[in-house]
Amino acid sequence: MLSYLKTTVCAAAGLAMAATSAIADPYADYSGETLVVNFPAHPHFDAVMKVLPEFTKETGINVEVDQLQYLKMRERQTLELTKNKGDYDLIAYVVFSKADYVYADQLENLARYFMNPKLADPNFDAEDLIDGYVANIGVAGGKKGYLPGPTGSLFGLPFGSETSILGYRKDIFEKHDLKVPETYDELLELACLIPELEPGMGGLASRAASGHHASHAFLLHLAPLGGRIFDDEWNPIVDNEAGVKAAEALKKIVNCGAEGSKTFGFAEAGASFLQGNSAMFLDSTVFAGQVNNPDKSKVVGKIGWAPHPVGVRAGSQTGGFGIGIPKNAPNKDAAFLLMQWLTSKKADKLIALAGGNPSRYSTHSDPEVNEKFPHMETFGEALKNADPDWRPIIPVWGKINADLGTTLSKIIVDDFPIQESLEGVSVRTRALMDEAGYYTWTQ
Amino acid sequence: MSVAIKANRLTPYLFLAPAGIILIIALLYPIGYMVYASFLDWSPSQRIGQAEFIGLRNYINLMSDEAFRESFWVTIRFAAVVVTLEMALGVGLALLLDRNIPGMAVLRTVFILPMMIAPIVVGLMWRYMYHPTVGIFNRTLKDMGLEGIPWLSDSTWSFIAVVIADVWQWTPFIFILALAAMQSLPRSALEAAEIDGASEWQKIILIKLPLMMPVLIVTLLLRLIDAFKVLEVILVLTNGGPGLSTEILALRIFRTAQEFQELGEAAAMSNVLLMLLMAITIGMFAYNRVQEARAARQRAIAEKGDD
């Protein structure tokens, strides 16, 4: 009888333990599964690769990564997402793909995962995620279709997102007793003063190459100078006073830039700064990882960082990547667990320490992270101004972006009149928007 | 005609039929697909069956698209300039090197090296050479105390820059075909001209070039078709800029499909390019037929002279 009782108690205890462990370990049901994810070849994701084995160790879930150059990644995803059953469980997507993927109903709405008590981690602390990043990369359906609002939903989480930041040469600024620019007037004055003080050196290294690069550089100045591409009724307003000022600012910066700056893309502008040919650099935070790498930089230890200068308002860039679960993913629940783990406080810090871009405020203020990367604290401050409406994330943006970028190139290179050229962009943009149906309810 | 004879006549066609059918399908299906796609409002996020049929709207939009019109004229200008220069230089080089002097075989091999380099590499190579500060051209100019040239940051110079790169890569193609054509000319005709006291220049103008004309026309056609489709070198060198000064049609088509995600419009552009190339090809084949007939008559006269 005693032995029967012992056996029964032991069996019950065993069952209870098994049940408890099943409840305590949300990963148990998925242990041994292999997830296939699609990431870009990008410094942030290189850092992620170093941290991923930790996930497998902790959860027993294997991860196979298909890492592609980002244009190739987009191409592959375009094919994958239209299949009935896809190969990818989790994808990273560049910010402007959000519009296409959500509109084509190819990304999972994340609400039902965060509602699922077996999957959602109560300690995830979503409030700690950087607001501007979440709005920019994750939310769709709200105000204008790409901004938060009562009708918005979450389709992805920021992962490798970026904002704009000002890098400057501390040694040059100290040598000439220059003040780090906080306003646009100060920035533009310095951009042309530095070549006078340091002959042969450009003021601010900026992108200006025809197309996307020129458009990107213009947008960097448009938001702080008070402009937008559209007003709230989708009327193109790129040719208003703020738009003209932003184009003037870009032209001035390029004219006072290093030799050849009219053809700079992101890489060339960065190289000009790293080679010591320009005194300032205003662009994405992703660049920060390179400045103290002696293989790439001649200015190791000479760079200071400051928030994007303020014009009539603060408005720094939002961009980069997010992660989402494809509608046709084979292992959606496990993919959510991976997504949640990758964007958790713990993983965000591990990735930051490995050289990636954090997505959380707490990581930016973490003492260990700040000790290794002192610029991270400034970046955390700058992120409060990350502007999710910095550029419209709508399906027709690609064409508008290209038109704007080539027009700006004509303004910079061939001295096309600014006002007239931007009016041309407005007219063509209106025609594109009209064809895409944006004025159906207002005409 | 007996059944056996009829069957014998049909046999070769029966043997050729499977390959012929595969060839026709492989050739025509993609073109048919492209024509069909040009009538759709189709983005890559849809299957082709889900795309909306919009008739001729893509073609109508193209007519009012300033960027397309600009690209169209850039393409025409680019093709005309590079093919003219390449033909002149390639034929000129062939005339110059059509002689038996020591080291000629090595020289000929060296001449055709640029053709062997991948276009992306050619683009990168020239991009570095055109670099404003470290590029060989501007460095040399500056060493000589001259101003550097804004190779890639000025609309006119960037067009010249892509022309130079293309001419550098493809002149050897003309050269090699022109040289082969020249070396297959009937020696008897040239010898007869020499006996008649014709100068070197007269032999070129009156005998060599007319006899080579059918080959040169085909060469010109092949190069022209290729010049209309050049993409990689320009993509890497200038990415179509500054402005749209070097954005040729192939690059516009690539952008429309890849960046703008408008496959229907890209297909319509491709069809316009295809029709343009077909018109050029038909025109040149017709002209070639006339030239071939003339060359045949000249050969006959030359050979008769031999007797």
Side-chain angles (χ1 to χ4, degrees), chain A residues 58-121:
Chain A
E58 200 178 302
T59 65
I61 301 171
N62 302 305
V63 183
E64 197 181 300
V65 181
D66 184 17
Q67 209 174 2
L68 299 168
Q69 191 271 337
Y70 99 92
L71 278 178
K72 279 266 165 239
M73 179 186 85
R74 167 75 203 228
E75 220 175 282
R76 178 77 57 85
Q77 286 175 2
T78 297
L79 290 173
E80 275 298 319
L81 297 180
T82 48
K83 284 158 59 175
N84 285 333
K85 193 175 177 192
D87 290 334
Y88 295 135
D89 296 299
L90 188 72
I91 57 165
Y93 57 91
V94 72
V95 59
F96 31 84
S97 299
K98 175 180 85 170
D100 298 323
Y101 294 168
V102 172
Y103 191 73
D105 196 23
Q106 291 168 334
L107 282 182
E108 282 285 297
N109 189 323
L110 296 180
R112 77 179 183 88
Y113 298 93
F114 280 109
M115 284 173 74
N116 186 338
K118 289 180 184 170
L119 297 175
D121 178 0

Side-chain angles (χ1 to χ4, degrees), chain A residues 326-338:
Chain A
K327 269 270 166 75
N328 61 2
N331 306 296
K332 293 179 192 175
D333 288 353
F336 174 77
L337 290 173
L338 171 62

Side-chain angles (χ1 to χ4, degrees), chain B:
Chain B
M1 195 184 289
S2 73
V3 176
I5 292 171
K6 267 187 184 170
N8 272 345
R9 284 193 177 169
L10 279 175
T11 307
Y13 295 106
L14 287 174
F15 278 118
L16 285 173
I21 291 167
I22 290 168
L23 196 67
I24 287 169
I25 291 172
L27 278 175
L28 294 184
Y29 180 76
I31 294 173
Y33 197 86
M34 189 169 75
V35 172
Y36 174 58
S38 71
F39 299 123
L40 304 174
D41 180 13
W42 181 27
S43 85
S45 55
Q46 298 166 303
R47 291 188 191 128
I48 193 162
Q50 297 169 321
E52 187 192 349
F53 186 84
I54 54 167
L56 290 171
R57 206 200 303 160
N58 283 326
Y59 291 94
I60 295 164
N61 287 349
L62 286 189
M63 297 306 119
S64 59
D65 183 353
E66 281 177 40
F68 172 76
R69 286 205 303 266
E70 218 168 317
S71 295
F72 186 85
W73 290 118
V74 169
T75 310
I76 302 272
R77 210 165 57 228
F78 175 79
V81 173
V82 295
V83 173
T84 307
L85 287 173
E86 285 161 12
M87 286 300 290
L89 286 170
V91 175
L93 273 173
L95 289 167
L96 208 66
L97 298 179
D98 179 29
R99 57 199 75 215
N100 291 321
I101 49 174
M104 193 51 71
V106 178
L107 203 60
R108 281 177 202 151
T109 312
V110 170
F111 269 123
I112 61 170
L113 276 178
M115 262 170 65
M116 300 175 192
I117 303 173
I120 290 278
V121 180
V122 172
L124 282 171
M125 206 171 76
W126 282 89
R127 191 173 167 83
Y128 289 123
M129 291 202 287
Y130 288 136
H131 193 280
T133 50
V134 296
I136 185 165
F137 300 120
N138 278 8
R139 228 176 42 213
T140 310
L141 287 171
K142 282 175 188 170
D143 287 348
M144 290 160 68
L146 300 168
E147 280 274 303
I149 291 172
W151 290 106
L152 304 176
S153 57
D154 175 273
S155 301
T156 311
W157 279 110
S158 61
F159 185 79
I160 294 169
V162 295
V163 165
I164 292 173
D166 195 87
V167 168
W168 176 83
Q169 187 172 29
W170 292 110
T171 296
F173 174 74
I174 313 284
F175 161 70
I176 206 165
L177 291 182
L179 190 65
M182 210 172 290
Q183 290 180 342
S184 67
L185 293 180
R187 291 284 134 191
S188 52
L190 294 166
E191 282 160 11
E194 267 167 33
I195 291 164
D196 289 344
S199 67
E200 214 34 55
W201 186 244
Q202 281 171 322
K203 278 195 284 180
I204 290 170
I205 298 293
L206 299 171
I207 299 173
K208 286 186 178 178
L209 286 180
L211 288 177
M212 283 163 65
M213 201 48 84
V215 176
L216 290 183
I217 287 172
V218 173
T219 309
L220 175 72
L221 180 66
L222 291 174
R223 202 42 225 126
L224 203 58
I225 290 172
D226 221 37
F228 271 96
K229 298 185 303 173
V230 66
L231 173 69
E232 296 99 321
V233 174
I234 294 182
L235 185 73
V236 175
L237 250 183
T238 63
N239 197 22
L244 292 171
S245 59
T246 57
E247 188 171 280
I248 56 154
L249 261 183
L251 186 53
R252 185 89 203 151
I253 293 167
F254 173 75
R255 285 228 167 96
T256 305
Q258 183 79 21
E259 277 177 38
F260 314 154
Q261 305 269 301
E262 291 187 5
L263 299 181
E265 202 174 312
M269 285 183 192
S270 304
N271 288 333
V272 171
L273 183 60
L274 180 69
M275 283 185 275
L276 179 71
L277 289 174
M278 273 172 64
I280 292 171
T281 308
I282 290 167
M284 289 191 69
F285 272 135
Y287 181 71
N288 198 25
R289 206 172 296 159
V290 175
Q291 289 300 323
E292 266 176 355
R294 187 178 294 168
R297 276 201 303 276
Q298 279 187 329
R299 269 175 203 270
I301 293 165
E303 275 156 20
K304 207 173 173 186
D306 286 352
D307 300 335

